[in-house]
Amino acid sequence: MATSGGGSSYRNGTHRGSLKVDRPLSVNSNPKTSVKSKPFSSSGPRRSSTGSIVSSTGAANDDAGVPGRVRVAVRLRPRSAEEMMADADFADCVELQPELKRLKLRRNNWDSDTYEFDEVLTEFASQKRVYEVVAKPVVESVLDGYNGTIMAYGQTGTGKTYTLGCLGEEDTAARGIMVRAMEDILADVSLETDSVCVSYLQLYMESIQDLLDPSNDNISIVEDPKTGDVSLPGANIVEIRNQQSFVELLCLGEAHRFAANTKLNAESSRSHAILMVHVERSVKGKHSALSGENGNNAHIKTLKPAIIRKGKLVVVDLAGSERIDKSGSEGHTLEEAKSINLSLSALGKCINALAENSVHVPIRDSKLTRLLRDSFGGTARTSLVVTIGPSPRHRGETASTIMFGQRAMKVENMLKLKEEFDYKGLSRRLDVQLDKLIAEHERQQKSFEDEIKRITADAKNRISEVERSYADALEKDRLKYQKDYMESIKKLEEQLVNNQQKHGIEKVPVGHKDGGSALTSNIESPMISTIKEVSELKKLLQKESLLRKAAEEEVNSLKSQLAQWKMSETSENSKISKLREMLEDEARQKEKLEGEIAILHSQLLQISFEADETRRRLDRGGFGKVPGDLDSLLSHVKHQQQESGNGEKASIAKLFEQVGLQKILSLLESEDADLQIHAVKVVANLAAEETNQGKIVEAGGLTSLLILLRSSENETIHRVAAGAIANLAMNETNQELIMDQRGISLLSMTAANAEDPQTLRMVAGAIANLCGNDKLQMKLRGEGGIKALLGMVRCRNPDVLAQVARGIANFAKCESRASTQGTKTGRSLLIEDGALPWIVQNANNEASPVRRHIELALCHLAQHEANAKDMISGGALWELVRISRDCSREDIRTLAHRTLTSSSAFLAEMRRLRIDY
């Protein structure tokens, strides 16, 4: 990221040094009521780079710069609807006099304090007026090559973000300073020679985060030890080519910015937003004084680097200061408020030190002050807009904001022009020229090589001709010399013969043949060796040709083998895929068969169990001490349990009338587990009829069932007894009796120890029925009813989950009704017991009963405003939006829509997340 305040550029973490020009602004700002202070630095005034440009006259530019006081404007926010109602009988705490640029802050009905500002903007001031007064002079300075800062300060909810960052998507007249500034910048620059780059950051909890890349959430601040300039090398930088891309970038950044709902502001910013706009412009018709000094050096004139001006615009949307007792912040929001107030306090201390011309400025107390060191007491032109509200309830905050602006008006900056040699542009031009020269050199080299080839061929031809003529001449000379030699030999032989004849010496064998052959061999030996070398080279050439042909044949054979292997691999892959599909089909069939085997196995065990029961009954011939009528009752019940429908109910009802309820209930206390199981099944079937429920409770059946849950360890007894209690719990009178006898505790204990899904389903059904009673809410929660329901979700059986969801929906419905009637306040007990994550997770469950009950529970929870904050943070808002759009049941869909539109918290969050609704 490039965040240089003194001519050095950082882009993606790489530092590019360059020469720098620091020249004063041509137009001096009005130093009204200003006090010259030290730069915003703890190490004294800044020094310019050692490579500053020297003018053509040989004199160095003035590095001191020109004073430019921080300009401060105050803007009043109109009264909100809440303030119109709450403060209807009270006058505004401030009175504006825009024509005199004054503001009066009322102490009481008779006395007030008067303050002067550079501009006073009433509640009727348009966004265009605010931009022209506050920001436009700063933007023009940035386009001229200066650094500029526009900052908004004020209490939370007074319109800082609206003033700076409003996009104006619905109303173009509402566009804020950021959008209007970029419009003016793009209108003034030339995208062919100039560049505009943007970084968008937020300072959240003393951590600098990139709003364009949320994963980049810990950006470090780097300070240049020589110039004191501050940069953020780790931040992303985006080049802007048109206004639309800039607006989309702002939308992206705003979506990632932290916000929260407080009593003072429904969308309170919880971080300081910082927009950095880097503008680089080429200065036409202006060259460095270093070039052209020596007029005799012609080639240096072509290397004149142009001058570029680098301006940086920093737009800072400070988070609003707030008092905890008024904002109602708590938890993590409270920690955010502490961090915001600490950073604003550090900024205020620095401005106080600068306004009082203090020796030490505590800029290192906060990252905010380190980032703004160039804006206050530095080299930037700074405009500050302080936003205030009219409400007399917040007079203290308004006074604090006004005093902050008054102190800021005393801070004086030293404005400096940022100019650099455009060595990068010069480098690009030299690269182009170098490319042209290289291409020309390559063309000349190619023509030179062609000429060399032509000359070489001509020379070879001439050499061959000379060699042929030389060979011919040599052959002629050889023949001539050989002929002369032979003639000389012949003459010598004749003389020798004559001499021999004269002296009478025997004739010596003539040796001219050996001598002649030796001479001949000396002449012919080089030619013979040359012929041999040529023949050997021909043999080597033939051998190499044969080897090459063999290698080509081998390569062709390998290519053919490779093609065959690829074809075979393709066919094998297809076979493997078919085999995998067959294996998957076999696996599915195996699973299906295993399921059928398991069903058959369970049926076999049931049949075996019933056969053993029948055998033991026949062997005993009765039930011991059980009376004969009870024995016949149980035998008949066992037989009827294998049937279904109205016949079973009619048979049990008939036996109930014949034997009597007391005798049946007495079997619940039997020591025989089989007797207890069959007896509790009879009671459960009788409890299914509403006409029998009162008689069972009067006869002590409910107490006996609860005792069975406590004393018995048999899973079957627990399951059937819980089912009977669930049937009895459908009556409101019985529900109170169950609670009085600590039935919830027994059911919770049974659920904790049970593993059978059917047992858990019965227990969950009983608790779900009890959850529908308005009077038992607190007692049911106190005895662990909600915890028991949430504990049973471990089973993951759809039937169990459906009963759990039904219980939660009943509980939420009763809470919603109590909240509407005013008998309950505060958060839902379900949320306090940790049920919300499970509700959100199963809101889109595949099982229709589970999903339907969960959707109803969400709608009921959302009807109470106290639950809105937890539901938003827990992700329930997205599920409510989905239910209102996609739910298959129209009544639930309508309920979700009505709930969302009636909640101010949900509406504010949907606007923040830009959810169309």
Side-chain angles (χ1 to χ4, degrees):
M1 170 181 171
T3 59
S4 167
S8 295
S9 173
Y10 289 84
R11 189 178 296 274
N12 296 330
T14 304
H15 180 272
R16 300 172 184 262
S18 59
L19 295 179
K20 179 175 66 176
V21 178
D22 292 341
R23 292 194 295 183
L25 184 66
S26 58
V27 180
N28 296 339
S29 58
N30 183 13
K32 181 174 98 175
T33 68
S34 65
V35 177
K36 182 176 180 180
S37 63
K38 296 182 182 293
F40 197 7
S41 169
S42 59
S43 59
R46 301 181 184 174
R47 293 174 297 176
S48 64
S49 174
T50 56
S52 59
I53 298 176
V54 181
S55 66
S56 58
T57 60
N61 287 327
D62 184 13
D63 187 54
V66 171
R69 180 177 56 79
V70 175
R71 296 183 60 80
V72 181
V74 61
R75 186 181 192 185
L76 177 65
R77 172 182 59 76
R79 280 198 178 193
S80 63
E82 180 184 358
E83 291 172 344
M84 289 183 179
M85 296 178 61
D87 303 334
D89 298 332
F90 301 93
D92 292 349
C93 67
V94 293
E95 178 185 350
L96 304 185
Q97 295 177 340
E99 63 281 355
L100 300 177
K101 298 183 180 181
R102 290 179 181 174
L103 176 148
K104 288 186 177 181
L105 179 64
R106 291 191 176 93
R107 295 181 182 177
N108 47 48
N109 291 334
W110 303 277
D111 195 9
S112 62
D113 296 324
T114 302
Y115 302 93
E116 290 187 4
F117 288 93
D118 293 303
E119 290 292 340
V120 175
L121 302 168
T122 67
E123 65 270 30
F124 305 108
S126 64
Q127 290 281 75
K128 181 179 180 182
R129 166 68 176 166
V130 174
Y131 171 75
E132 290 178 347
V133 169
V134 175
K136 192 166 185 177
V138 179
V139 174
E140 291 174 348
S141 296
V142 171
L143 290 170
D144 290 336
Y146 295 87
N147 290 344
T149 300
I150 304 168
M151 189 169 68
Y153 177 90
Q155 183 190 11
T156 180
T158 54
K160 298 182 297 301
T161 302
Y162 174 78
T163 300
L164 295 181
C166 183
L167 301 180
E169 294 176 334
E170 298 179 358
D171 183 9
T172 56
R175 291 168 301 165
I177 287 176
M178 292 182 181
V179 178
R180 295 177 183 269
M182 183 55 67
E183 288 177 353
D184 284 357
I185 290 173
L186 291 177
D188 195 71
V189 301
S190 173
L191 297 179
E192 296 179 357
T193 58
D194 305 336
S195 68
V196 180
C197 299
V198 167
S199 296
Y200 202 12
L201 313 166
Q202 68 174 350
L203 179 59
Y204 175 72
M205 302 283 286
E206 283 301 299
S207 175
I208 301 176
Q209 303 177 5
D210 197 331
L211 289 174
L212 306 182
D213 182 11
S215 61
N216 189 9
D217 57 357
N218 191 14
I219 301 173
S220 59
I221 301 176
V222 177
E223 297 183 11
D224 190 337
K226 294 182 179 179
T227 63
D229 295 333
V230 177
S231 61
L232 303 172
N236 287 332
I237 189 165
V238 180
E239 185 173 2
I240 302 299
R241 306 293 296 179
N242 53 66
Q243 184 70 13
Q244 181 62 31
S245 62
F246 176 70
V247 173
E248 292 174 356
L249 182 143
L250 289 182
C251 291
L252 176 63
E254 287 299 320
H256 295 149
R257 191 176 177 188
F258 289 97
N261 184 4
T262 66
K263 292 181 180 179
L264 297 178
N265 190 357
E267 293 185 73
S268 176
S269 300
R270 314 309 291 170
S271 66
H272 307 300
I274 303 168
L275 176 71
M276 294 185 176
V277 183
H278 304 270
V279 181
E280 293 187 7
R281 308 190 68 186
S282 297
V283 181
K284 298 180 180 180
K286 188 172 183 179
H287 300 281
S288 168
L290 292 178
S291 61
E293 285 287 334
N294 187 359
N296 298 325
N297 198 345
H299 72 278
I300 293 182
K301 292 184 178 180
T302 61
L303 302 180
K304 293 180 179 179
I307 290 180
I308 58 172
R309 289 179 178 173
K310 290 186 176 181
K312 180 178 69 174
L313 174 64
V314 180
V315 184
V316 184
D317 181 11
L318 294 174
S321 60
E322 60 183 57
R323 291 187 178 177
I324 308 304
D325 56 344
K326 292 185 178 182
S327 64
S329 300
E330 59 184 10
H332 185 66
T333 308
L334 176 60
E335 297 300 322
E336 293 175 336
K338 291 180 180 178
S339 176
I340 293 169
N341 290 339
L342 283 175
S343 61
L344 294 177
S345 175
L347 178 61
K349 290 179 181 178
C350 290
I351 291 179
N352 288 344
L354 290 168
E356 296 171 1
N357 204 17
S358 175
V359 176
H360 173 68
V361 181
I363 63 168
R364 297 193 175 276
D365 290 356
S366 171
K367 289 186 178 180
L368 177 63
T369 55
R370 293 177 65 189
L371 288 172
L372 297 178
R373 67 181 303 169
D374 193 47
S375 303
F376 292 95
T379 62
R381 176 187 286 274
T382 301
S383 285
L384 171 67
V385 54
V386 293
T387 57
I388 59 175
S391 175
R393 289 180 297 164
H394 305 305
R395 185 191 177 282
E397 290 84 347
T398 302
S400 176
T401 302
I402 292 172
M403 294 308 300
F404 180 90
Q406 288 289 298
R407 288 190 294 271
M409 289 177 66
K410 298 178 181 180
V411 177
E412 186 173 297
N413 296 346
M414 303 301 292
L415 309 182
K416 295 181 181 179
L417 182 66
K418 311 298 178 182
E419 286 187 346
E420 296 179 358
F421 286 135
D422 189 9
Y423 284 116
K424 290 189 291 185
L426 177 60
S427 175
R428 288 193 296 269
R429 293 201 305 272
L430 291 176
D431 287 340
V432 172
Q433 188 174 358
L434 180 61
D435 291 339
K436 291 181 179 180
L437 292 175
I438 290 174
E440 182 64 26
H441 173 70
E442 289 176 350
R443 285 194 296 271
Q444 292 179 359
Q445 186 176 6
K446 190 174 185 307
S447 63
F448 177 74
E449 290 175 353
D450 293 340
E451 185 66 20
I452 291 295
K453 289 180 181 179
R454 186 186 64 78
I455 295 173
T456 302
D458 190 14
K460 286 181 178 179
N461 293 333
R462 293 183 180 182
I463 290 171
S464 60
E465 291 178 359
V466 171
E467 287 178 348
R468 284 195 298 270
S469 61
Y470 177 73
D472 294 340
L474 184 61
E475 183 67 22
K476 291 178 180 179
D477 291 341
R478 187 182 68 80
L479 294 175
K480 178 182 178 183
Y481 292 143
Q482 188 176 7
K483 183 178 179 181
D484 293 342
Y485 170 73
M486 295 303 293
E487 291 176 354
S488 299
I489 292 297
K490 189 181 289 185
K491 290 177 179 180
L492 289 173
E493 287 178 352
E494 290 177 356
Q495 289 179 4
L496 180 61
V497 171
N498 294 330
N499 289 333
Q500 288 177 355
Q501 288 177 359
K502 288 179 181 182
H503 300 286
I505 303 173
E506 293 181 357
K507 189 174 182 180
V508 180
V510 181
H512 70 276
K513 293 184 179 179
D514 295 335
S517 62
L519 181 60
T520 305
S521 62
N522 289 331
I523 296 173
E524 294 180 352
S525 58
M527 295 182 65
I528 294 171
S529 62
T530 302
I531 293 171
K532 288 181 179 180
E533 290 178 358
V534 170
S535 63
E536 288 176 0
L537 289 174
K538 287 182 177 179
K539 290 179 181 179
L540 289 174
L541 182 59
Q542 291 175 356
K543 186 177 180 179
E544 291 294 333
S545 299
L546 294 174
L547 290 175
R548 180 181 178 184
K549 290 180 180 178
E552 289 178 352
E553 291 176 357
E554 186 176 357
V555 169
N556 292 332
S557 64
L558 290 175
K559 287 182 178 178
S560 61
Q561 290 179 8
L562 180 61
Q564 291 177 358
W565 288 342
K566 287 184 178 178
M567 293 175 62
S568 62
E569 183 182 3
T570 304
S571 61
E572 291 298 328
N573 288 337
S574 63
K575 290 180 181 179
I576 289 171
S577 61
K578 290 180 181 178
L579 289 174
R580 285 179 179 173
E581 292 176 358
M582 293 172 64
L583 286 175
E584 290 175 355
D585 293 338
E586 291 293 333
R588 286 194 292 269
Q589 292 179 3
K590 181 181 178 182
E591 291 177 357
K592 184 177 180 181
L593 291 174
E594 286 176 353
E596 293 176 357
I597 290 171
I599 294 172
L600 293 174
H601 183 67
S602 63
Q603 292 177 356
L604 179 60
L605 290 176
Q606 182 67 25
I607 293 172
S608 300
F609 175 79
E610 292 176 356
D612 293 337
E613 288 292 320
T614 305
R615 189 182 300 109
R616 283 198 299 269
R617 183 171 56 82
L618 292 175
D619 291 340
R620 289 196 305 267
F623 293 108
K625 297 180 180 180
V626 181
D629 51 354
L630 289 179
D631 182 40
S632 62
L633 167 65
L634 293 175
S635 300
H636 196 70
V637 167
K638 290 178 184 179
H639 176 71
Q640 291 296 331
Q641 283 174 350
Q642 298 176 358
E643 301 176 359
S644 60
N646 295 329
E648 180 182 358
K649 294 182 180 179
S651 176
I652 292 175
K654 182 178 180 181
L655 290 174
F656 168 65
E657 293 175 358
Q658 292 175 355
V659 177
L661 182 61
Q662 290 295 338
K663 293 182 179 181
I664 296 174
L665 295 178
S666 65
L667 293 178
L668 297 178
E669 302 175 0
S670 174
E671 296 180 357
D672 191 330
D674 294 335
L675 282 176
Q676 284 184 330
I677 290 172
H678 292 296
V680 77
K681 286 183 179 180
V682 172
V683 175
N685 286 322
L686 291 173
E689 296 292 331
E690 187 176 356
T691 56
N692 300 329
Q693 293 178 358
K695 298 177 182 179
I696 293 173
V697 174
E698 291 176 0
L702 176 59
T703 304
S704 299
L705 291 171
L706 294 174
I707 292 173
L708 280 179
L709 288 181
R710 182 187 302 110
S711 60
S712 177
E713 296 179 358
N714 189 289
E715 183 82 3
T716 305
I717 292 177
H718 286 172
R719 179 175 69 253
V720 181
I725 294 173
N727 290 335
L728 294 176
M730 290 188 292
N731 184 281
E732 185 174 350
T733 304
N734 297 339
Q735 292 173 355
E736 297 180 358
L737 293 175
I738 292 171
M739 295 298 297
D740 292 337
Q741 298 183 36
R742 299 187 61 82
I744 282 293
S745 299
L746 294 174
L747 290 170
S748 301
M749 181 180 63
T750 303
N753 298 327
E755 295 295 336
D756 180 39
Q758 296 302 321
T759 304
L760 293 173
R761 181 174 69 87
M762 296 298 181
V763 174
I767 297 177
N769 290 337
L770 294 173
C771 287
N773 193 322
D774 296 339
K775 303 175 184 178
L776 306 178
Q777 295 273 294
M778 296 300 298
K779 191 172 184 180
L780 186 144
R781 188 251 185 155
E783 293 185 10
I786 298 176
K787 295 289 187 182
L789 280 177
L790 296 176
M792 284 184 278
V793 302
R794 69 182 188 279
C795 178
R796 298 184 181 276
N797 184 280
D799 296 333
V800 178
L801 296 181
Q803 294 299 325
V804 172
R806 183 171 69 87
I808 290 176
N810 289 342
F811 198 95
K813 183 178 180 180
C814 292
E815 278 193 327
S816 175
R817 189 160 51 239
S819 299
T820 304
Q821 295 172 357
T823 59
K824 183 186 180 307
T825 58
R827 293 194 308 166
S828 168
L829 300 178
L830 291 171
I831 296 177
E832 292 183 356
D833 280 357
L836 185 60
W838 184 83
I839 294 173
V840 174
Q841 181 181 359
N842 290 270
N844 200 14
N845 195 289
E846 295 178 357
S848 176
V850 178
R851 185 173 65 254
R852 175 168 53 84
H853 290 306
I854 291 297
E855 289 173 346
L856 283 172
L858 278 173
C859 293
H860 290 312
L861 287 174
Q863 289 179 350
H864 189 31
E865 193 71 19
N867 301 330
K869 181 178 179 181
D870 294 290
M871 296 185 73
I872 290 172
S873 62
L877 175 60
W878 293 101
E879 294 300 332
L880 284 170
V881 173
R882 180 192 61 77
I883 293 169
S884 67
R885 295 175 177 174
D886 304 330
C887 183
S888 58
R889 288 185 49 174
E890 185 178 357
D891 54 339
I892 299 178
R893 192 165 63 248
T894 304
L895 179 60
H897 182 273
R898 186 171 64 249
T899 302
L900 287 172
T901 55
S902 61
S903 172
S904 60
F906 287 148
L907 289 174
E909 183 65 11
M910 287 190 292
R911 284 194 299 270
R912 190 183 74 83
L913 297 176
R914 291 179 172 83
I915 298 176
D916 296 330
Y917 203 77

PDB file of all heavy atoms in Angstrom, residues 115-128:
ATOM      1  N   TYR A 115     -19.331  30.507  20.251  1.00  0.00           N
ATOM      2  CA  TYR A 115     -18.113  29.979  19.649  1.00  0.00           C
ATOM      3  C   TYR A 115     -18.096  30.337  18.164  1.00  0.00           C
ATOM      4  O   TYR A 115     -19.155  30.381  17.523  1.00  0.00           O
ATOM      5  CB  TYR A 115     -18.021  28.451  19.798  1.00  0.00           C
ATOM      6  CG  TYR A 115     -18.064  27.974  21.219  1.00  0.00           C
ATOM      7  CD1 TYR A 115     -19.276  27.606  21.811  1.00  0.00           C
ATOM      8  CD2 TYR A 115     -16.893  27.887  21.969  1.00  0.00           C
ATOM      9  CE1 TYR A 115     -19.314  27.158  23.122  1.00  0.00           C
ATOM     10  CE2 TYR A 115     -16.922  27.440  23.281  1.00  0.00           C
ATOM     11  CZ  TYR A 115     -18.141  27.076  23.853  1.00  0.00           C
ATOM     12  OH  TYR A 115     -18.180  26.637  25.125  1.00  0.00           O
ATOM     13  N   GLU A 116     -16.915  30.603  17.650  1.00  0.00           N
ATOM     14  CA  GLU A 116     -16.754  30.907  16.229  1.00  0.00           C
ATOM     15  C   GLU A 116     -16.057  29.741  15.527  1.00  0.00           C
ATOM     16  O   GLU A 116     -15.133  29.129  16.068  1.00  0.00           O
ATOM     17  CB  GLU A 116     -15.920  32.185  16.045  1.00  0.00           C
ATOM     18  CG  GLU A 116     -16.625  33.436  16.455  1.00  0.00           C
ATOM     19  CD  GLU A 116     -15.820  34.681  16.101  1.00  0.00           C
ATOM     20  OE1 GLU A 116     -14.753  34.512  15.477  1.00  0.00           O
ATOM     21  OE2 GLU A 116     -16.275  35.785  16.435  1.00  0.00           O
ATOM     22  N   PHE A 117     -16.515  29.435  14.314  1.00  0.00           N
ATOM     23  CA  PHE A 117     -15.925  28.380  13.482  1.00  0.00           C
ATOM     24  C   PHE A 117     -15.695  28.924  12.079  1.00  0.00           C
ATOM     25  O   PHE A 117     -16.185  30.005  11.724  1.00  0.00           O
ATOM     26  CB  PHE A 117     -16.844  27.154  13.422  1.00  0.00           C
ATOM     27  CG  PHE A 117     -16.895  26.381  14.705  1.00  0.00           C
ATOM     28  CD1 PHE A 117     -17.869  26.635  15.665  1.00  0.00           C
ATOM     29  CD2 PHE A 117     -15.953  25.389  14.967  1.00  0.00           C
ATOM     30  CE1 PHE A 117     -17.919  25.922  16.842  1.00  0.00           C
ATOM     31  CE2 PHE A 117     -16.003  24.668  16.149  1.00  0.00           C
ATOM     32  CZ  PHE A 117     -16.977  24.941  17.087  1.00  0.00           C
ATOM     33  N   ASP A 118     -14.962  28.183  11.287  1.00  0.00           N
ATOM     34  CA  ASP A 118     -14.746  28.586   9.900  1.00  0.00           C
ATOM     35  C   ASP A 118     -16.033  28.509   9.090  1.00  0.00           C
ATOM     36  O   ASP A 118     -16.247  29.316   8.183  1.00  0.00           O
ATOM     37  CB  ASP A 118     -13.675  27.691   9.258  1.00  0.00           C
ATOM     38  CG  ASP A 118     -12.322  27.916   9.897  1.00  0.00           C
ATOM     39  OD1 ASP A 118     -11.854  29.068   9.891  1.00  0.00           O
ATOM     40  OD2 ASP A 118     -11.741  26.949  10.413  1.00  0.00           O
ATOM     41  N   GLU A 119     -16.875  27.527   9.384  1.00  0.00           N
ATOM     42  CA  GLU A 119     -18.183  27.420   8.739  1.00  0.00           C
ATOM     43  C   GLU A 119     -19.165  26.858   9.750  1.00  0.00           C
ATOM     44  O   GLU A 119     -18.820  25.998  10.572  1.00  0.00           O
ATOM     45  CB  GLU A 119     -18.136  26.488   7.519  1.00  0.00           C
ATOM     46  CG  GLU A 119     -17.357  27.026   6.330  1.00  0.00           C
ATOM     47  CD  GLU A 119     -18.016  28.228   5.675  1.00  0.00           C
ATOM     48  OE1 GLU A 119     -19.237  28.414   5.889  1.00  0.00           O
ATOM     49  OE2 GLU A 119     -17.313  28.979   4.983  1.00  0.00           O
ATOM     50  N   VAL A 120     -20.402  27.337   9.668  1.00  0.00           N
ATOM     51  CA  VAL A 120     -21.487  26.832  10.511  1.00  0.00           C
ATOM     52  C   VAL A 120     -22.595  26.359   9.580  1.00  0.00           C
ATOM     53  O   VAL A 120     -23.151  27.168   8.818  1.00  0.00           O
ATOM     54  CB  VAL A 120     -21.997  27.915  11.483  1.00  0.00           C
ATOM     55  CG1 VAL A 120     -23.200  27.398  12.246  1.00  0.00           C
ATOM     56  CG2 VAL A 120     -20.887  28.339  12.438  1.00  0.00           C
ATOM     57  N   LEU A 121     -22.889  25.092   9.616  1.00  0.00           N
ATOM     58  CA  LEU A 121     -23.858  24.474   8.708  1.00  0.00           C
ATOM     59  C   LEU A 121     -25.092  24.069   9.499  1.00  0.00           C
ATOM     60  O   LEU A 121     -24.999  23.286  10.459  1.00  0.00           O
ATOM     61  CB  LEU A 121     -23.235  23.242   8.030  1.00  0.00           C
ATOM     62  CG  LEU A 121     -21.943  23.529   7.239  1.00  0.00           C
ATOM     63  CD1 LEU A 121     -21.265  22.227   6.862  1.00  0.00           C
ATOM     64  CD2 LEU A 121     -22.258  24.341   5.993  1.00  0.00           C
ATOM     65  N   THR A 122     -26.220  24.594   9.094  1.00  0.00           N
ATOM     66  CA  THR A 122     -27.464  24.289   9.796  1.00  0.00           C
ATOM     67  C   THR A 122     -27.961  22.911   9.416  1.00  0.00           C
ATOM     68  O   THR A 122     -27.398  22.221   8.577  1.00  0.00           O
ATOM     69  CB  THR A 122     -28.530  25.343   9.455  1.00  0.00           C
ATOM     70  OG1 THR A 122     -28.884  25.199   8.060  1.00  0.00           O
ATOM     71  CG2 THR A 122     -28.006  26.754   9.695  1.00  0.00           C
ATOM     72  N   GLU A 123     -29.073  22.532  10.071  1.00  0.00           N
ATOM     73  CA  GLU A 123     -29.646  21.208   9.774  1.00  0.00           C
ATOM     74  C   GLU A 123     -30.236  21.147   8.365  1.00  0.00           C
ATOM     75  O   GLU A 123     -30.558  20.054   7.868  1.00  0.00           O
ATOM     76  CB  GLU A 123     -30.718  20.849  10.814  1.00  0.00           C
ATOM     77  CG  GLU A 123     -31.949  21.744  10.802  1.00  0.00           C
ATOM     78  CD  GLU A 123     -31.782  22.941  11.734  1.00  0.00           C
ATOM     79  OE1 GLU A 123     -30.635  23.411  11.933  1.00  0.00           O
ATOM     80  OE2 GLU A 123     -32.806  23.405  12.274  1.00  0.00           O
ATOM     81  N   PHE A 124     -30.406  22.310   7.724  1.00  0.00           N
ATOM     82  CA  PHE A 124     -30.969  22.336   6.372  1.00  0.00           C
ATOM     83  C   PHE A 124     -29.874  22.380   5.295  1.00  0.00           C
ATOM     84  O   PHE A 124     -30.195  22.413   4.104  1.00  0.00           O
ATOM     85  CB  PHE A 124     -31.889  23.551   6.209  1.00  0.00           C
ATOM     86  CG  PHE A 124     -32.974  23.625   7.253  1.00  0.00           C
ATOM     87  CD1 PHE A 124     -32.918  24.578   8.264  1.00  0.00           C
ATOM     88  CD2 PHE A 124     -34.032  22.725   7.241  1.00  0.00           C
ATOM     89  CE1 PHE A 124     -33.906  24.640   9.232  1.00  0.00           C
ATOM     90  CE2 PHE A 124     -35.023  22.793   8.212  1.00  0.00           C
ATOM     91  CZ  PHE A 124     -34.961  23.746   9.212  1.00  0.00           C
ATOM     92  N   ALA A 125     -28.627  22.373   5.674  1.00  0.00           N
ATOM     93  CA  ALA A 125     -27.529  22.436   4.692  1.00  0.00           C
ATOM     94  C   ALA A 125     -27.502  21.155   3.863  1.00  0.00           C
ATOM     95  O   ALA A 125     -27.595  20.046   4.398  1.00  0.00           O
ATOM     96  CB  ALA A 125     -26.185  22.639   5.397  1.00  0.00           C
ATOM     97  N   SER A 126     -27.393  21.298   2.553  1.00  0.00           N
ATOM     98  CA  SER A 126     -27.378  20.135   1.662  1.00  0.00           C
ATOM     99  C   SER A 126     -26.014  19.466   1.676  1.00  0.00           C
ATOM    100  O   SER A 126     -25.012  20.052   2.096  1.00  0.00           O
ATOM    101  CB  SER A 126     -27.728  20.546   0.229  1.00  0.00           C
ATOM    102  OG  SER A 126     -26.724  21.417  -0.281  1.00  0.00           O
ATOM    103  N   GLN A 127     -25.966  18.236   1.195  1.00  0.00           N
ATOM    104  CA  GLN A 127     -24.710  17.521   1.088  1.00  0.00           C
ATOM    105  C   GLN A 127     -23.756  18.230   0.122  1.00  0.00           C
ATOM    106  O   GLN A 127     -22.549  18.239   0.332  1.00  0.00           O
ATOM    107  CB  GLN A 127     -24.966  16.080   0.598  1.00  0.00           C
ATOM    108  CG  GLN A 127     -25.660  15.186   1.613  1.00  0.00           C
ATOM    109  CD  GLN A 127     -24.711  14.671   2.669  1.00  0.00           C
ATOM    110  OE1 GLN A 127     -24.323  15.417   3.561  1.00  0.00           O
ATOM    111  NE2 GLN A 127     -24.331  13.410   2.560  1.00  0.00           N
ATOM    112  N   LYS A 128     -24.300  18.814  -0.930  1.00  0.00           N
ATOM    113  CA  LYS A 128     -23.463  19.543  -1.883  1.00  0.00           C
ATOM    114  C   LYS A 128     -22.816  20.743  -1.218  1.00  0.00           C
ATOM    115  O   LYS A 128     -21.629  21.026  -1.408  1.00  0.00           O
ATOM    116  CB  LYS A 128     -24.307  19.990  -3.077  1.00  0.00           C
ATOM    117  CG  LYS A 128     -23.512  20.741  -4.135  1.00  0.00           C
ATOM    118  CD  LYS A 128     -24.403  21.140  -5.310  1.00  0.00           C
ATOM    119  CE  LYS A 128     -23.588  21.901  -6.361  1.00  0.00           C
ATOM    120  NZ  LYS A 128     -24.436  22.331  -7.487  1.00  0.00           N
TER     121      LYS A 128
END
